[in-house]
Amino acid sequence: MSGLEIERKFLVRGDDYKQWATSHSRIKQGYICSGRGRTVRVRRRDDRAYLTIKGPSPDGGLSRYEFEKEITLDEAEHLFQLCEPGIIDKTRYLVPSGAHTFEVDEFYGDNEGLTMAEVELSSPDEPYEKPPFIGREVTGDRRFYNSHLRLNPFCLWSKDLE
């Protein structure tokens, strides 16, 4: 898959999303490199693995170019050895809402206590239905980028959100 990715990110209130989830999967991801809005990521999602390259966002985090290619689990394990410090560990729940599906990520480790939801859109102004568990929008807030969370985990700054 490649092309322009348009998504909005939100904090999640409570854990009601679990009752509406149609599936969930465990994700481990690391970053081979990240900087100046560009990332090269390796991800293992259950029994599949991917190499993803993302470009900088021209519009404050709402959209960015993304290239993704499936790789073997063996290739992923070798690439994890090249990653910068800090691995992201989370469970992703898929929650339908209207014509869209929200991806809700529950984080573990030093990011425990953080739960975020993303919805992918076909255009920046596409309407979508917000499920009741959706909280404050954090689209474009770099603190909530996975590449940032690996070095500046939620446990270090979560108190600043109040």
Side-chain angles (χ1 to χ4, degrees):
M1 177 204 111
S2 64
L4 190 64
E5 173 188 59
I6 302 169
E7 66 183 13
R8 299 182 81 137
K9 286 186 172 203
F10 304 89
L11 295 178
V12 170
R13 296 186 297 248
D15 64 358
D16 287 348
Y17 61 89
K18 291 180 183 179
Q19 69 183 334
W20 296 305
T22 56
S23 68
H24 67 280
S25 55
R26 191 69 179 250
I27 295 175
K28 171 187 174 184
Q29 69 187 41
Y31 290 84
I32 295 171
C33 64
S34 61
R36 297 189 319 270
R38 295 168 175 83
T39 60
V40 178
R41 175 186 78 201
V42 60
R43 172 184 278 175
R44 180 178 180 158
R45 184 172 183 169
D46 293 334
D47 61 350
R48 299 177 84 173
Y50 306 88
L51 181 66
T52 306
I53 302 167
K54 293 188 178 194
S57 175
D59 53 12
L62 183 59
S63 66
R64 63 196 290 199
Y65 178 80
E66 177 181 279
F67 171 85
E68 186 169 78
K69 178 161 181 54
E70 188 165 359
I71 59 177
T72 68
L73 293 175
D74 188 55
E75 289 169 329
E77 289 309 313
H78 283 93
L79 289 173
F80 275 122
Q81 296 174 30
L82 300 176
C83 288
E84 298 171 339
I87 296 293
I88 297 292
D89 182 19
K90 60 188 179 180
T91 296
R92 172 164 290 168
Y93 297 85
L94 300 182
V95 182
S97 179
H100 296 88
T101 297
F102 281 76
E103 297 177 340
V104 179
D105 290 343
E106 179 181 352
F107 291 83
Y108 305 111
D110 288 341
N111 290 303
E112 183 96 28
L114 177 61
T115 306
M116 287 191 301
E118 298 177 354
V119 61
E120 289 199 17
L121 306 171
S122 57
S123 69
D125 58 351
E126 179 182 354
Y128 57 93
E129 287 182 42
K130 282 187 194 176
F133 57 81
I134 293 296
R136 184 177 106 201
E137 184 167 5
V138 294
T139 302
D141 187 335
R142 294 191 185 285
R143 294 177 301 172
F144 297 98
Y145 290 6
N146 286 289
S147 58
H148 185 268
L149 289 168
R150 69 182 179 79
L151 291 176
N152 301 287
F154 188 64
C155 68
L156 298 179
W157 53 271
S158 61
K159 293 179 184 79
D160 297 342
L161 287 180
E162 277 96 49

